[in-house]
Amino acid sequence: MIDKLEFFIALAKEEHFGRAAEVCGVTQPTLSAGIKQLEEQLGVMLVLRGSRFQGLTPEGKQVLTWARRIVGDTRTMREEMRAARHGLAGRIRIAAVPTALAMVARLTTPFREKHPGVTFSVLSRTSIEVLTLLGNFDVDAGITYLDNEPLGRVTSVPLYDERYQLITAVGNPYSDRDKVTWAEISQLPLCLLTPDMQNRRIIDQHLAEAGVQVRPTLESNSMIVLFSHIRTGKWSSIMPLNLAETFGFSEPIRAIPIVEPDASHTVGLVAAPGEPHTPLVQALLDEAMALADDFRAHR
């Protein structure tokens, strides 16, 4: 039954019998037969069939919710038994919003020192993608904003508050200031993240509150692209304070606090709801709480 449910979850995700079979490591006839047997056992049609996959039936959508829950619980049980025998081991998959990527090492490094049998996979994703991957069990945890847009049902650990600074070269407008307002920076040639990023939506929100809007001269979904343009001295950007500190901007680049308002938004670790979590996820949540204490101690 578990194998058949995993086939069904893969098909719902891939929306293609061949790709789903490849993901599951079986032949397409084996996957098709497994889903057919699942339908017979449950007494309902799960998949709309034609010459190709056409979607799930209403009953299929209900079963998908149960399948994810059952498979998730089964994985938790297996991990608990493995951890009981051999200690923590395996791979933790984390998806993080771009502005939080520089902070991931502060979580993974001490974790791996305690649990050397664990490896990591870290992906850069939008906040919406983080939650989607988490809901589909494609990642074990995410790092995203907690207080700006709805999260749905998740377990969360607040890590730090993100505050915003103008990053600009010495000699540019406002570079000699100790602080600058959101309204003032709207006049600068800015390079910003793309609008699908929550950080960008936060920036646009605070600019709108100041009665202004900007049309960036460059947009990218990569922080590296933004950093490289800032270092030319010809571009400015708006970035979180902790990110600027991590990358160590120095002369001739300045980081200037933005006020009116002095805005902040909470970034934290999120995991799927429910108890018990897998041993790996629970250990990661524990590490996140320790990191949060460290952030508060040095605030």
Side-chain angles (χ1 to χ4, degrees):
M1 174 66 80
I2 298 300
D3 288 343
K4 294 167 190 172
L5 291 175
E6 288 184 332
F7 291 171
F8 181 57
I9 291 170
L11 179 61
K13 178 186 176 185
E14 298 296 331
E15 299 183 343
H16 187 279
F17 282 91
R19 289 196 299 270
E22 185 177 348
V23 166
C24 294
V26 299
T27 64
Q28 184 171 330
T30 298
L31 182 131
S32 297
I35 290 177
K36 188 68 176 176
Q37 292 166 8
L38 182 62
E39 290 177 322
E40 292 171 355
Q41 286 178 287
L42 296 176
V44 294
M45 293 291 293
L46 303 176
V47 180
L48 298 171
R49 291 178 176 83
S51 58
R52 63 184 64 182
F53 177 84
Q54 295 181 347
L56 302 181
T57 65
E59 294 82 2
K61 293 176 182 177
Q62 287 182 276
V63 170
L64 180 60
T65 300
W66 279 101
R68 287 171 173 161
R69 187 182 307 170
I70 292 167
V71 169
D73 286 346
T74 302
R75 289 173 181 168
T76 300
M77 179 185 66
R78 288 171 178 164
E79 282 197 24
E80 282 192 359
M81 295 305 99
R82 185 170 62 243
R85 293 193 306 270
H86 307 296
L88 281 184
R91 178 175 291 270
I92 296 180
R93 303 160 300 168
I94 301 172
V97 294
T99 53
L101 284 171
M103 309 304 296
V104 174
R106 298 206 37 192
L107 185 65
T108 55
T109 302
F111 186 97
R112 181 157 166 73
E113 288 175 354
K114 297 172 186 172
H115 309 290
V118 175
T119 60
F120 298 89
S121 173
V122 180
L123 305 173
S124 175
R125 293 292 186 267
T126 69
S127 57
I128 293 172
E129 290 170 337
V130 168
L131 296 177
T132 299
L133 290 169
L134 196 62
N136 291 338
F137 296 99
D138 291 324
V139 297
D140 303 296
I143 301 178
T144 187
Y145 297 94
L146 302 185
D147 62 355
N148 187 59
E149 296 178 357
L151 290 174
R153 292 182 63 248
V154 296
T155 298
S156 63
V157 177
L159 292 175
Y160 60 88
D161 290 332
E162 188 178 85
R163 311 187 92 84
Y164 305 96
Q165 304 225 338
L166 170 66
I167 310 299
T168 193
V170 171
N172 284 341
Y174 311 123
S175 64
D176 59 344
R177 300 268 291 274
D178 293 327
K179 59 185 177 181
V180 64
T181 69
W182 289 92
E184 288 172 329
I185 60 178
S186 66
Q187 306 302 315
L188 299 175
L190 295 173
C191 53
L192 300 174
L193 287 171
T194 49
D196 59 325
M197 299 293 177
Q198 192 170 167
N199 170 266
R200 172 63 184 281
R201 295 195 292 275
I202 287 172
I203 288 171
D204 287 346
Q205 169 191 327
H206 291 307
L207 288 167
E209 290 169 352
V212 296
Q213 59 180 347
V214 297
R215 292 184 176 85
T217 49
L218 182 142
E219 295 176 324
S220 176
N221 63 358
S222 166
M223 298 304 300
I224 297 300
V225 171
L226 301 189
F227 280 122
S228 65
H229 281 78
I230 292 167
R231 289 193 181 278
T232 67
K234 306 297 183 181
W235 308 70
S236 301
S237 189
I238 302 168
M239 292 188 178
L241 171 61
N242 60 285
L243 189 61
E245 290 176 341
T246 299
F247 278 84
F249 281 125
S250 58
E251 297 294 346
I253 304 297
R254 290 206 62 214
I256 304 166
I258 305 173
V259 297
E260 298 181 23
D262 179 10
S264 68
H265 293 274
T266 303
V267 174
L269 183 80
V270 293
E275 296 287 348
H277 294 291
T278 68
L280 283 175
V281 170
Q282 186 57 57
L284 188 66
L285 290 167
D286 293 342
E287 193 65 50
M289 287 186 276
L291 178 58
D293 290 340
D294 186 54
F295 276 122
R296 283 193 292 270
H298 293 87
R299 187 159 51 192

